[in-house]
mmCIF file with all atom_site columns, all heavy atoms in Angstrom:
data_model
loop_
_atom_site.group_PDB
_atom_site.id
_atom_site.type_symbol
_atom_site.label_atom_id
_atom_site.label_alt_id
_atom_site.label_comp_id
_atom_site.label_asym_id
_atom_site.label_entity_id
_atom_site.label_seq_id
_atom_site.pdbx_PDB_ins_code
_atom_site.Cartn_x
_atom_site.Cartn_y
_atom_site.Cartn_z
_atom_site.occupancy
_atom_site.B_iso_or_equiv
_atom_site.pdbx_formal_charge
_atom_site.auth_seq_id
_atom_site.auth_comp_id
_atom_site.auth_asym_id
_atom_site.auth_atom_id
_atom_site.pdbx_PDB_model_num
ATOM 1   N N   . THR A 1 1  ? 0.799  -1.226 0.000   1.00 94.00 ? 1  THR A N   1
ATOM 2   C CA  . THR A 1 1  ? 0.000  0.000  0.000   1.00 94.00 ? 1  THR A CA  1
ATOM 3   C C   . THR A 1 1  ? 0.835  1.282  0.000   1.00 94.00 ? 1  THR A C   1
ATOM 4   O O   . THR A 1 1  ? 0.569  2.193  -0.769  1.00 94.00 ? 1  THR A O   1
ATOM 5   C CB  . THR A 1 1  ? -0.971 0.030  1.204   1.00 94.00 ? 1  THR A CB  1
ATOM 6   O OG1 . THR A 1 1  ? -0.215 -0.113 2.410   1.00 94.00 ? 1  THR A OG1 1
ATOM 7   C CG2 . THR A 1 1  ? -2.006 -1.071 1.091   1.00 94.00 ? 1  THR A CG2 1
ATOM 8   N N   . ASP A 1 2  ? 1.844  1.342  0.865   1.00 95.00 ? 2  ASP A N   1
ATOM 9   C CA  . ASP A 1 2  ? 2.651  2.560  0.971   1.00 95.00 ? 2  ASP A CA  1
ATOM 10  C C   . ASP A 1 2  ? 3.599  2.729  -0.212  1.00 95.00 ? 2  ASP A C   1
ATOM 11  O O   . ASP A 1 2  ? 3.740  3.823  -0.753  1.00 95.00 ? 2  ASP A O   1
ATOM 12  C CB  . ASP A 1 2  ? 3.482  2.558  2.261   1.00 95.00 ? 2  ASP A CB  1
ATOM 13  C CG  . ASP A 1 2  ? 2.627  2.652  3.509   1.00 95.00 ? 2  ASP A CG  1
ATOM 14  O OD1 . ASP A 1 2  ? 1.526  3.218  3.430   1.00 95.00 ? 2  ASP A OD1 1
ATOM 15  O OD2 . ASP A 1 2  ? 3.062  2.155  4.562   1.00 95.00 ? 2  ASP A OD2 1
ATOM 16  N N   . LEU A 1 3  ? 4.252  1.638  -0.610  1.00 95.00 ? 3  LEU A N   1
ATOM 17  C CA  . LEU A 1 3  ? 5.266  1.733  -1.661  1.00 95.00 ? 3  LEU A CA  1
ATOM 18  C C   . LEU A 1 3  ? 4.718  2.234  -2.994  1.00 95.00 ? 3  LEU A C   1
ATOM 19  O O   . LEU A 1 3  ? 5.340  3.096  -3.613  1.00 95.00 ? 3  LEU A O   1
ATOM 20  C CB  . LEU A 1 3  ? 5.999  0.403  -1.811  1.00 95.00 ? 3  LEU A CB  1
ATOM 21  C CG  . LEU A 1 3  ? 7.472  0.482  -2.151  1.00 95.00 ? 3  LEU A CG  1
ATOM 22  C CD1 . LEU A 1 3  ? 8.219  1.491  -1.300  1.00 95.00 ? 3  LEU A CD1 1
ATOM 23  C CD2 . LEU A 1 3  ? 8.127  -0.873 -2.061  1.00 95.00 ? 3  LEU A CD2 1
ATOM 24  N N   . PRO A 1 4  ? 3.558  1.756  -3.449  1.00 96.00 ? 4  PRO A N   1
ATOM 25  C CA  . PRO A 1 4  ? 3.030  2.303  -4.706  1.00 96.00 ? 4  PRO A CA  1
ATOM 26  C C   . PRO A 1 4  ? 2.779  3.811  -4.642  1.00 96.00 ? 4  PRO A C   1
ATOM 27  O O   . PRO A 1 4  ? 3.063  4.532  -5.605  1.00 96.00 ? 4  PRO A O   1
ATOM 28  C CB  . PRO A 1 4  ? 1.717  1.540  -4.909  1.00 96.00 ? 4  PRO A CB  1
ATOM 29  C CG  . PRO A 1 4  ? 1.921  0.253  -4.188  1.00 96.00 ? 4  PRO A CG  1
ATOM 30  C CD  . PRO A 1 4  ? 2.774  0.606  -2.990  1.00 96.00 ? 4  PRO A CD  1
ATOM 31  N N   . ARG A 1 5  ? 2.306  4.298  -3.506  1.00 97.00 ? 5  ARG A N   1
ATOM 32  C CA  . ARG A 1 5  ? 2.080  5.752  -3.358  1.00 97.00 ? 5  ARG A CA  1
ATOM 33  C C   . ARG A 1 5  ? 3.402  6.509  -3.363  1.00 97.00 ? 5  ARG A C   1
ATOM 34  O O   . ARG A 1 5  ? 3.509  7.586  -3.950  1.00 97.00 ? 5  ARG A O   1
ATOM 35  C CB  . ARG A 1 5  ? 1.316  6.057  -2.055  1.00 97.00 ? 5  ARG A CB  1
ATOM 36  C CG  . ARG A 1 5  ? -0.107 5.550  -2.060  1.00 97.00 ? 5  ARG A CG  1
ATOM 37  C CD  . ARG A 1 5  ? -0.875 5.909  -0.802  1.00 97.00 ? 5  ARG A CD  1
ATOM 38  N NE  . ARG A 1 5  ? -0.085 5.652  0.392   1.00 97.00 ? 5  ARG A NE  1
ATOM 39  C CZ  . ARG A 1 5  ? -0.075 6.420  1.475   1.00 97.00 ? 5  ARG A CZ  1
ATOM 40  N NH1 . ARG A 1 5  ? -0.798 7.501  1.535   1.00 97.00 ? 5  ARG A NH1 1
ATOM 41  N NH2 . ARG A 1 5  ? 0.669  6.116  2.519   1.00 97.00 ? 5  ARG A NH2 1
ATOM 42  N N   . ILE A 1 6  ? 4.404  5.944  -2.705  1.00 97.00 ? 6  ILE A N   1
ATOM 43  C CA  . ILE A 1 6  ? 5.722  6.582  -2.660  1.00 97.00 ? 6  ILE A CA  1
ATOM 44  C C   . ILE A 1 6  ? 6.325  6.627  -4.061  1.00 97.00 ? 6  ILE A C   1
ATOM 45  O O   . ILE A 1 6  ? 6.835  7.663  -4.498  1.00 97.00 ? 6  ILE A O   1
ATOM 46  C CB  . ILE A 1 6  ? 6.643  5.855  -1.655  1.00 97.00 ? 6  ILE A CB  1
ATOM 47  C CG1 . ILE A 1 6  ? 6.145  6.087  -0.226  1.00 97.00 ? 6  ILE A CG1 1
ATOM 48  C CG2 . ILE A 1 6  ? 8.090  6.312  -1.807  1.00 97.00 ? 6  ILE A CG2 1
ATOM 49  C CD1 . ILE A 1 6  ? 6.801  5.208  0.829   1.00 97.00 ? 6  ILE A CD1 1
ATOM 50  N N   . VAL A 1 7  ? 6.256  5.505  -4.790  1.00 97.00 ? 7  VAL A N   1
ATOM 51  C CA  . VAL A 1 7  ? 6.815  5.447  -6.148  1.00 97.00 ? 7  VAL A CA  1
ATOM 52  C C   . VAL A 1 7  ? 6.099  6.427  -7.069  1.00 97.00 ? 7  VAL A C   1
ATOM 53  O O   . VAL A 1 7  ? 6.741  7.139  -7.853  1.00 97.00 ? 7  VAL A O   1
ATOM 54  C CB  . VAL A 1 7  ? 6.759  4.000  -6.707  1.00 97.00 ? 7  VAL A CB  1
ATOM 55  C CG1 . VAL A 1 7  ? 7.116  3.977  -8.191  1.00 97.00 ? 7  VAL A CG1 1
ATOM 56  C CG2 . VAL A 1 7  ? 7.694  3.097  -5.919  1.00 97.00 ? 7  VAL A CG2 1
ATOM 57  N N   . LYS A 1 8  ? 4.786  6.510  -6.954  1.00 97.00 ? 8  LYS A N   1
ATOM 58  C CA  . LYS A 1 8  ? 4.016  7.443  -7.790  1.00 97.00 ? 8  LYS A CA  1
ATOM 59  C C   . LYS A 1 8  ? 4.460  8.880  -7.529  1.00 97.00 ? 8  LYS A C   1
ATOM 60  O O   . LYS A 1 8  ? 4.663  9.667  -8.458  1.00 97.00 ? 8  LYS A O   1
ATOM 61  C CB  . LYS A 1 8  ? 2.520  7.276  -7.513  1.00 97.00 ? 8  LYS A CB  1
ATOM 62  C CG  . LYS A 1 8  ? 1.640  8.118  -8.392  1.00 97.00 ? 8  LYS A CG  1
ATOM 63  C CD  . LYS A 1 8  ? 0.172  7.854  -8.124  1.00 97.00 ? 8  LYS A CD  1
ATOM 64  C CE  . LYS A 1 8  ? -0.686 8.719  -9.017  1.00 97.00 ? 8  LYS A CE  1
ATOM 65  N NZ  . LYS A 1 8  ? -2.106 8.514  -8.778  1.00 97.00 ? 8  LYS A NZ  1
ATOM 66  N N   . ARG A 1 9  ? 4.618  9.221  -6.273  1.00 98.00 ? 9  ARG A N   1
ATOM 67  C CA  . ARG A 1 9  ? 5.036  10.579 -5.899  1.00 98.00 ? 9  ARG A CA  1
ATOM 68  C C   . ARG A 1 9  ? 6.465  10.863 -6.364  1.00 98.00 ? 9  ARG A C   1
ATOM 69  O O   . ARG A 1 9  ? 6.765  11.947 -6.860  1.00 98.00 ? 9  ARG A O   1
ATOM 70  C CB  . ARG A 1 9  ? 4.911  10.745 -4.393  1.00 98.00 ? 9  ARG A CB  1
ATOM 71  C CG  . ARG A 1 9  ? 5.351  12.069 -3.856  1.00 98.00 ? 9  ARG A CG  1
ATOM 72  C CD  . ARG A 1 9  ? 4.210  13.088 -3.819  1.00 98.00 ? 9  ARG A CD  1
ATOM 73  N NE  . ARG A 1 9  ? 4.640  14.243 -3.084  1.00 98.00 ? 9  ARG A NE  1
ATOM 74  C CZ  . ARG A 1 9  ? 4.458  14.408 -1.770  1.00 98.00 ? 9  ARG A CZ  1
ATOM 75  N NH1 . ARG A 1 9  ? 3.796  13.518 -1.070  1.00 98.00 ? 9  ARG A NH1 1
ATOM 76  N NH2 . ARG A 1 9  ? 4.926  15.472 -1.175  1.00 98.00 ? 9  ARG A NH2 1
ATOM 77  N N   . ILE A 1 10 ? 7.356  9.873  -6.228  1.00 98.00 ? 10 ILE A N   1
ATOM 78  C CA  . ILE A 1 10 ? 8.735  10.012 -6.700  1.00 98.00 ? 10 ILE A CA  1
ATOM 79  C C   . ILE A 1 10 ? 8.734  10.279 -8.199  1.00 98.00 ? 10 ILE A C   1
ATOM 80  O O   . ILE A 1 10 ? 9.411  11.179 -8.683  1.00 98.00 ? 10 ILE A O   1
ATOM 81  C CB  . ILE A 1 10 ? 9.564  8.754  -6.367  1.00 98.00 ? 10 ILE A CB  1
ATOM 82  C CG1 . ILE A 1 10 ? 9.869  8.698  -4.868  1.00 98.00 ? 10 ILE A CG1 1
ATOM 83  C CG2 . ILE A 1 10 ? 10.849 8.699  -7.192  1.00 98.00 ? 10 ILE A CG2 1
ATOM 84  C CD1 . ILE A 1 10 ? 10.421 7.365  -4.405  1.00 98.00 ? 10 ILE A CD1 1
ATOM 85  N N   . ASN A 1 11 ? 7.972  9.471  -8.933  1.00 97.00 ? 11 ASN A N   1
ATOM 86  C CA  . ASN A 1 11 ? 7.918  9.620  -10.387 1.00 97.00 ? 11 ASN A CA  1
ATOM 87  C C   . ASN A 1 11 ? 7.430  11.012 -10.782 1.00 97.00 ? 11 ASN A C   1
ATOM 88  O O   . ASN A 1 11 ? 7.965  11.613 -11.717 1.00 97.00 ? 11 ASN A O   1
ATOM 89  C CB  . ASN A 1 11 ? 7.030  8.541  -11.001 1.00 97.00 ? 11 ASN A CB  1
ATOM 90  C CG  . ASN A 1 11 ? 7.685  7.178  -11.004 1.00 97.00 ? 11 ASN A CG  1
ATOM 91  O OD1 . ASN A 1 11 ? 8.893  7.053  -10.870 1.00 97.00 ? 11 ASN A OD1 1
ATOM 92  N ND2 . ASN A 1 11 ? 6.891  6.143  -11.146 1.00 97.00 ? 11 ASN A ND2 1
ATOM 93  N N   . THR A 1 12 ? 6.452  11.523 -10.060 1.00 97.00 ? 12 THR A N   1
ATOM 94  C CA  . THR A 1 12 ? 5.914  12.855 -10.350 1.00 97.00 ? 12 THR A CA  1
ATOM 95  C C   . THR A 1 12 ? 6.925  13.945 -10.019 1.00 97.00 ? 12 THR A C   1
ATOM 96  O O   . THR A 1 12 ? 7.223  14.808 -10.841 1.00 97.00 ? 12 THR A O   1
ATOM 97  C CB  . THR A 1 12 ? 4.608  13.086 -9.549  1.00 97.00 ? 12 THR A CB  1
ATOM 98  O OG1 . THR A 1 12 ? 3.669  12.084 -9.922  1.00 97.00 ? 12 THR A OG1 1
ATOM 99  C CG2 . THR A 1 12 ? 4.034  14.462 -9.833  1.00 97.00 ? 12 THR A CG2 1
ATOM 100 N N   . GLU A 1 13 ? 7.470  13.903 -8.818  1.00 96.00 ? 13 GLU A N   1
ATOM 101 C CA  . GLU A 1 13 ? 8.357  14.981 -8.361  1.00 96.00 ? 13 GLU A CA  1
ATOM 102 C C   . GLU A 1 13 ? 9.700  15.019 -9.084  1.00 96.00 ? 13 GLU A C   1
ATOM 103 O O   . GLU A 1 13 ? 10.248 16.085 -9.312  1.00 96.00 ? 13 GLU A O   1
ATOM 104 C CB  . GLU A 1 13 ? 8.566  14.886 -6.852  1.00 96.00 ? 13 GLU A CB  1
ATOM 105 C CG  . GLU A 1 13 ? 7.323  15.301 -6.096  1.00 96.00 ? 13 GLU A CG  1
ATOM 106 C CD  . GLU A 1 13 ? 7.596  15.727 -4.675  1.00 96.00 ? 13 GLU A CD  1
ATOM 107 O OE1 . GLU A 1 13 ? 8.729  16.109 -4.349  1.00 96.00 ? 13 GLU A OE1 1
ATOM 108 O OE2 . GLU A 1 13 ? 6.647  15.686 -3.883  1.00 96.00 ? 13 GLU A OE2 1
ATOM 109 N N   . PHE A 1 14 ? 10.231 13.849 -9.409  1.00 96.00 ? 14 PHE A N   1
ATOM 110 C CA  . PHE A 1 14 ? 11.539 13.806 -10.064 1.00 96.00 ? 14 PHE A CA  1
ATOM 111 C C   . PHE A 1 14 ? 11.427 13.702 -11.584 1.00 96.00 ? 14 PHE A C   1
ATOM 112 O O   . PHE A 1 14 ? 12.439 13.697 -12.277 1.00 96.00 ? 14 PHE A O   1
ATOM 113 C CB  . PHE A 1 14 ? 12.373 12.638 -9.531  1.00 96.00 ? 14 PHE A CB  1
ATOM 114 C CG  . PHE A 1 14 ? 12.822 12.823 -8.102  1.00 96.00 ? 14 PHE A CG  1
ATOM 115 C CD1 . PHE A 1 14 ? 12.162 12.181 -7.066  1.00 96.00 ? 14 PHE A CD1 1
ATOM 116 C CD2 . PHE A 1 14 ? 13.903 13.635 -7.799  1.00 96.00 ? 14 PHE A CD2 1
ATOM 117 C CE1 . PHE A 1 14 ? 12.576 12.337 -5.750  1.00 96.00 ? 14 PHE A CE1 1
ATOM 118 C CE2 . PHE A 1 14 ? 14.327 13.797 -6.485  1.00 96.00 ? 14 PHE A CE2 1
ATOM 119 C CZ  . PHE A 1 14 ? 13.655 13.149 -5.459  1.00 96.00 ? 14 PHE A CZ  1
ATOM 120 N N   . GLU A 1 15 ? 10.188 13.592 -12.070 1.00 95.00 ? 15 GLU A N   1
ATOM 121 C CA  . GLU A 1 15 ? 9.925  13.452 -13.509 1.00 95.00 ? 15 GLU A CA  1
ATOM 122 C C   . GLU A 1 15 ? 10.706 12.289 -14.105 1.00 95.00 ? 15 GLU A C   1
ATOM 123 O O   . GLU A 1 15 ? 11.423 12.418 -15.101 1.00 95.00 ? 15 GLU A O   1
ATOM 124 C CB  . GLU A 1 15 ? 10.222 14.754 -14.249 1.00 95.00 ? 15 GLU A CB  1
ATOM 125 C CG  . GLU A 1 15 ? 9.344  15.895 -13.774 1.00 95.00 ? 15 GLU A CG  1
ATOM 126 C CD  . GLU A 1 15 ? 9.638  17.211 -14.467 1.00 95.00 ? 15 GLU A CD  1
ATOM 127 O OE1 . GLU A 1 15 ? 10.652 17.327 -15.183 1.00 95.00 ? 15 GLU A OE1 1
ATOM 128 O OE2 . GLU A 1 15 ? 8.831  18.133 -14.287 1.00 95.00 ? 15 GLU A OE2 1
ATOM 129 N N   . ILE A 1 16 ? 10.578 11.140 -13.434 1.00 96.00 ? 16 ILE A N   1
ATOM 130 C CA  . ILE A 1 16 ? 11.223 9.905  -13.881 1.00 96.00 ? 16 ILE A CA  1
ATOM 131 C C   . ILE A 1 16 ? 10.158 8.807  -13.896 1.00 96.00 ? 16 ILE A C   1
ATOM 132 O O   . ILE A 1 16 ? 9.012  9.041  -13.509 1.00 96.00 ? 16 ILE A O   1
ATOM 133 C CB  . ILE A 1 16 ? 12.394 9.497  -12.950 1.00 96.00 ? 16 ILE A CB  1
ATOM 134 C CG1 . ILE A 1 16 ? 11.911 9.304  -11.504 1.00 96.00 ? 16 ILE A CG1 1
ATOM 135 C CG2 . ILE A 1 16 ? 13.525 10.502 -13.029 1.00 96.00 ? 16 ILE A CG2 1
ATOM 136 C CD1 . ILE A 1 16 ? 12.967 8.769  -10.555 1.00 96.00 ? 16 ILE A CD1 1
ATOM 137 N N   . VAL A 1 17 ? 10.559 7.614  -14.317 1.00 96.00 ? 17 VAL A N   1
ATOM 138 C CA  . VAL A 1 17 ? 9.647  6.478  -14.294 1.00 96.00 ? 17 VAL A CA  1
ATOM 139 C C   . VAL A 1 17 ? 10.344 5.290  -13.628 1.00 96.00 ? 17 VAL A C   1
ATOM 140 O O   . VAL A 1 17 ? 11.148 4.612  -14.249 1.00 96.00 ? 17 VAL A O   1
ATOM 141 C CB  . VAL A 1 17 ? 9.174  6.089  -15.719 1.00 96.00 ? 17 VAL A CB  1
ATOM 142 C CG1 . VAL A 1 17 ? 8.229  4.896  -15.653 1.00 96.00 ? 17 VAL A CG1 1
ATOM 143 C CG2 . VAL A 1 17 ? 8.519  7.265  -16.408 1.00 96.00 ? 17 VAL A CG2 1
ATOM 144 N N   . LEU A 1 18 ? 10.041 5.116  -12.346 1.00 96.00 ? 18 LEU A N   1
ATOM 145 C CA  . LEU A 1 18 ? 10.526 3.937  -11.631 1.00 96.00 ? 18 LEU A CA  1
ATOM 146 C C   . LEU A 1 18 ? 9.455  2.868  -11.745 1.00 96.00 ? 18 LEU A C   1
ATOM 147 O O   . LEU A 1 18 ? 8.271  3.158  -11.594 1.00 96.00 ? 18 LEU A O   1
ATOM 148 C CB  . LEU A 1 18 ? 10.766 4.237  -10.152 1.00 96.00 ? 18 LEU A CB  1
ATOM 149 C CG  . LEU A 1 18 ? 11.898 5.184  -9.773  1.00 96.00 ? 18 LEU A CG  1
ATOM 150 C CD1 . LEU A 1 18 ? 12.006 5.257  -8.257  1.00 96.00 ? 18 LEU A CD1 1
ATOM 151 C CD2 . LEU A 1 18 ? 13.215 4.749  -10.369 1.00 96.00 ? 18 LEU A CD2 1
ATOM 152 N N   . ASP A 1 19 ? 9.866  1.648  -11.988 1.00 94.00 ? 19 ASP A N   1
ATOM 153 C CA  . ASP A 1 19 ? 8.945  0.529  -12.075 1.00 94.00 ? 19 ASP A CA  1
ATOM 154 C C   . ASP A 1 19 ? 8.638  0.026  -10.667 1.00 94.00 ? 19 ASP A C   1
ATOM 155 O O   . ASP A 1 19 ? 9.544  -0.314 -9.916  1.00 94.00 ? 19 ASP A O   1
ATOM 156 C CB  . ASP A 1 19 ? 9.574  -0.579 -12.915 1.00 94.00 ? 19 ASP A CB  1
ATOM 157 C CG  . ASP A 1 19 ? 8.658  -1.771 -13.047 1.00 94.00 ? 19 ASP A CG  1
ATOM 158 O OD1 . ASP A 1 19 ? 7.797  -1.740 -13.939 1.00 94.00 ? 19 ASP A OD1 1
ATOM 159 O OD2 . ASP A 1 19 ? 8.810  -2.711 -12.247 1.00 94.00 ? 19 ASP A OD2 1
ATOM 160 N N   . GLN A 1 20 ? 7.344  -0.012 -10.311 1.00 93.00 ? 20 GLN A N   1
ATOM 161 C CA  . GLN A 1 20 ? 6.955  -0.422 -8.961  1.00 93.00 ? 20 GLN A CA  1
ATOM 162 C C   . GLN A 1 20 ? 7.420  -1.832 -8.627  1.00 93.00 ? 20 GLN A C   1
ATOM 163 O O   . GLN A 1 20 ? 7.860  -2.094 -7.520  1.00 93.00 ? 20 GLN A O   1
ATOM 164 C CB  . GLN A 1 20 ? 5.439  -0.340 -8.801  1.00 93.00 ? 20 GLN A CB  1
ATOM 165 C CG  . GLN A 1 20 ? 4.973  1.064  -8.525  1.00 93.00 ? 20 GLN A CG  1
ATOM 166 C CD  . GLN A 1 20 ? 3.486  1.122  -8.300  1.00 93.00 ? 20 GLN A CD  1
ATOM 167 O OE1 . GLN A 1 20 ? 2.780  1.632  -9.132  1.00 93.00 ? 20 GLN A OE1 1
ATOM 168 N NE2 . GLN A 1 20 ? 3.010  0.615  -7.202  1.00 93.00 ? 20 GLN A NE2 1
ATOM 169 N N   . LYS A 1 21 ? 7.322  -2.747 -9.577  1.00 94.00 ? 21 LYS A N   1
ATOM 170 C CA  . LYS A 1 21 ? 7.735  -4.125 -9.309  1.00 94.00 ? 21 LYS A CA  1
ATOM 171 C C   . LYS A 1 21 ? 9.232  -4.190 -9.042  1.00 94.00 ? 21 LYS A C   1
ATOM 172 O O   . LYS A 1 21 ? 9.675  -4.941 -8.182  1.00 94.00 ? 21 LYS A O   1
ATOM 173 C CB  . LYS A 1 21 ? 7.349  -5.035 -10.477 1.00 94.00 ? 21 LYS A CB  1
ATOM 174 C CG  . LYS A 1 21 ? 5.863  -5.282 -10.540 1.00 94.00 ? 21 LYS A CG  1
ATOM 175 C CD  . LYS A 1 21 ? 5.481  -6.185 -11.685 1.00 94.00 ? 21 LYS A CD  1
ATOM 176 C CE  . LYS A 1 21 ? 3.970  -6.341 -11.694 1.00 94.00 ? 21 LYS A CE  1
ATOM 177 N NZ  . LYS A 1 21 ? 3.463  -6.788 -12.978 1.00 94.00 ? 21 LYS A NZ  1
ATOM 178 N N   . MET A 1 22 ? 10.002 -3.399 -9.779  1.00 95.00 ? 22 MET A N   1
ATOM 179 C CA  . MET A 1 22 ? 11.445 -3.376 -9.570  1.00 95.00 ? 22 MET A CA  1
ATOM 180 C C   . MET A 1 22 ? 11.768 -2.813 -8.189  1.00 95.00 ? 22 MET A C   1
ATOM 181 O O   . MET A 1 22 ? 12.628 -3.337 -7.479  1.00 95.00 ? 22 MET A O   1
ATOM 182 C CB  . MET A 1 22 ? 12.141 -2.531 -10.650 1.00 95.00 ? 22 MET A CB  1
ATOM 183 C CG  . MET A 1 22 ? 13.656 -2.629 -10.596 1.00 95.00 ? 22 MET A CG  1
ATOM 184 S SD  . MET A 1 22 ? 14.515 -1.552 -11.749 1.00 95.00 ? 22 MET A SD  1
ATOM 185 C CE  . MET A 1 22 ? 13.930 -2.158 -13.304 1.00 95.00 ? 22 MET A CE  1
ATOM 186 N N   . VAL A 1 23 ? 11.063 -1.767 -7.802  1.00 95.00 ? 23 VAL A N   1
ATOM 187 C CA  . VAL A 1 23 ? 11.270 -1.182 -6.473  1.00 95.00 ? 23 VAL A CA  1
ATOM 188 C C   . VAL A 1 23 ? 10.934 -2.217 -5.400  1.00 95.00 ? 23 VAL A C   1
ATOM 189 O O   . VAL A 1 23 ? 11.683 -2.397 -4.440  1.00 95.00 ? 23 VAL A O   1
ATOM 190 C CB  . VAL A 1 23 ? 10.434 0.104  -6.298  1.00 95.00 ? 23 VAL A CB  1
ATOM 191 C CG1 . VAL A 1 23 ? 10.491 0.592  -4.862  1.00 95.00 ? 23 VAL A CG1 1
ATOM 192 C CG2 . VAL A 1 23 ? 10.913 1.194  -7.250  1.00 95.00 ? 23 VAL A CG2 1
ATOM 193 N N   . LEU A 1 24 ? 9.826  -2.927 -5.577  1.00 93.00 ? 24 LEU A N   1
ATOM 194 C CA  . LEU A 1 24 ? 9.414  -3.940 -4.607  1.00 93.00 ? 24 LEU A CA  1
ATOM 195 C C   . LEU A 1 24 ? 10.454 -5.045 -4.440  1.00 93.00 ? 24 LEU A C   1
ATOM 196 O O   . LEU A 1 24 ? 10.696 -5.505 -3.326  1.00 93.00 ? 24 LEU A O   1
ATOM 197 C CB  . LEU A 1 24 ? 8.094  -4.590 -5.047  1.00 93.00 ? 24 LEU A CB  1
ATOM 198 C CG  . LEU A 1 24 ? 6.818  -3.963 -4.512  1.00 93.00 ? 24 LEU A CG  1
ATOM 199 C CD1 . LEU A 1 24 ? 5.605  -4.549 -5.211  1.00 93.00 ? 24 LEU A CD1 1
ATOM 200 C CD2 . LEU A 1 24 ? 6.692  -4.125 -3.015  1.00 93.00 ? 24 LEU A CD2 1
ATOM 201 N N   . THR A 1 25 ? 11.076 -5.452 -5.536  1.00 94.00 ? 25 THR A N   1
ATOM 202 C CA  . THR A 1 25 ? 11.998 -6.581 -5.471  1.00 94.00 ? 25 THR A CA  1
ATOM 203 C C   . THR A 1 25 ? 13.444 -6.177 -5.181  1.00 94.00 ? 25 THR A C   1
ATOM 204 O O   . THR A 1 25 ? 14.204 -6.970 -4.638  1.00 94.00 ? 25 THR A O   1
ATOM 205 C CB  . THR A 1 25 ? 11.970 -7.402 -6.774  1.00 94.00 ? 25 THR A CB  1
ATOM 206 O OG1 . THR A 1 25 ? 12.298 -6.556 -7.869  1.00 94.00 ? 25 THR A OG1 1
ATOM 207 C CG2 . THR A 1 25 ? 10.616 -8.027 -6.992  1.00 94.00 ? 25 THR A CG2 1
ATOM 208 N N   . GLU A 1 26 ? 13.838 -4.949 -5.535  1.00 95.00 ? 26 GLU A N   1
ATOM 209 C CA  . GLU A 1 26 ? 15.247 -4.571 -5.430  1.00 95.00 ? 26 GLU A CA  1
ATOM 210 C C   . GLU A 1 26 ? 15.579 -3.578 -4.328  1.00 95.00 ? 26 GLU A C   1
ATOM 211 O O   . GLU A 1 26 ? 16.739 -3.360 -4.023  1.00 95.00 ? 26 GLU A O   1
ATOM 212 C CB  . GLU A 1 26 ? 15.727 -4.009 -6.775  1.00 95.00 ? 26 GLU A CB  1
ATOM 213 C CG  . GLU A 1 26 ? 15.695 -5.032 -7.889  1.00 95.00 ? 26 GLU A CG  1
ATOM 214 C CD  . GLU A 1 26 ? 16.218 -4.488 -9.201  1.00 95.00 ? 26 GLU A CD  1
ATOM 215 O OE1 . GLU A 1 26 ? 16.892 -3.436 -9.206  1.00 95.00 ? 26 GLU A OE1 1
ATOM 216 O OE2 . GLU A 1 26 ? 15.938 -5.122 -10.232 1.00 95.00 ? 26 GLU A OE2 1
ATOM 217 N N   . VAL A 1 27 ? 14.576 -2.967 -3.738  1.00 96.00 ? 27 VAL A N   1
ATOM 218 C CA  . VAL A 1 27 ? 14.840 -1.907 -2.752  1.00 96.00 ? 27 VAL A CA  1
ATOM 219 C C   . VAL A 1 27 ? 14.546 -2.407 -1.338  1.00 96.00 ? 27 VAL A C   1
ATOM 220 O O   . VAL A 1 27 ? 13.458 -2.893 -1.058  1.00 96.00 ? 27 VAL A O   1
ATOM 221 C CB  . VAL A 1 27 ? 13.981 -0.654 -3.075  1.00 96.00 ? 27 VAL A CB  1
ATOM 222 C CG1 . VAL A 1 27 ? 14.073 0.358  -1.945  1.00 96.00 ? 27 VAL A CG1 1
ATOM 223 C CG2 . VAL A 1 27 ? 14.425 -0.030 -4.383  1.00 96.00 ? 27 VAL A CG2 1
ATOM 224 N N   . GLU A 1 28 ? 15.543 -2.257 -0.484  1.00 97.00 ? 28 GLU A N   1
ATOM 225 C CA  . GLU A 1 28 ? 15.368 -2.621 0.916   1.00 97.00 ? 28 GLU A CA  1
ATOM 226 C C   . GLU A 1 28 ? 15.533 -1.395 1.825   1.00 97.00 ? 28 GLU A C   1
ATOM 227 O O   . GLU A 1 28 ? 14.812 -1.232 2.801   1.00 97.00 ? 28 GLU A O   1
ATOM 228 C CB  . GLU A 1 28 ? 16.380 -3.691 1.306   1.00 97.00 ? 28 GLU A CB  1
ATOM 229 C CG  . GLU A 1 28 ? 16.180 -4.215 2.704   1.00 97.00 ? 28 GLU A CG  1
ATOM 230 C CD  . GLU A 1 28 ? 17.074 -5.402 3.011   1.00 97.00 ? 28 GLU A CD  1
ATOM 231 O OE1 . GLU A 1 28 ? 17.314 -6.226 2.119   1.00 97.00 ? 28 GLU A OE1 1
ATOM 232 O OE2 . GLU A 1 28 ? 17.541 -5.480 4.167   1.00 97.00 ? 28 GLU A OE2 1
#
């Protein structure tokens, strides 16, 4: 629940496209 909202906000603020699945599997 939290991570998708964080990734969406990151993508908006930094004008980038992070893949949510990649963040879920690679970020600790």
Side-chain angles (χ1 to χ4, degrees):
T1 56
D2 293 332
L3 215 46
R5 292 183 314 142
I6 291 169
V7 170
K8 184 177 180 181
R9 178 90 170 268
I10 287 168
N11 286 342
T12 301
E13 288 202 22
F14 291 101
E15 298 179 349
I16 58 174
V17 180
L18 292 184
D19 180 84
Q20 279 183 251
K21 288 180 182 160
M22 188 185 298
V23 172
L24 268 170
T25 58
E26 296 182 17
V27 171
E28 185 172 324

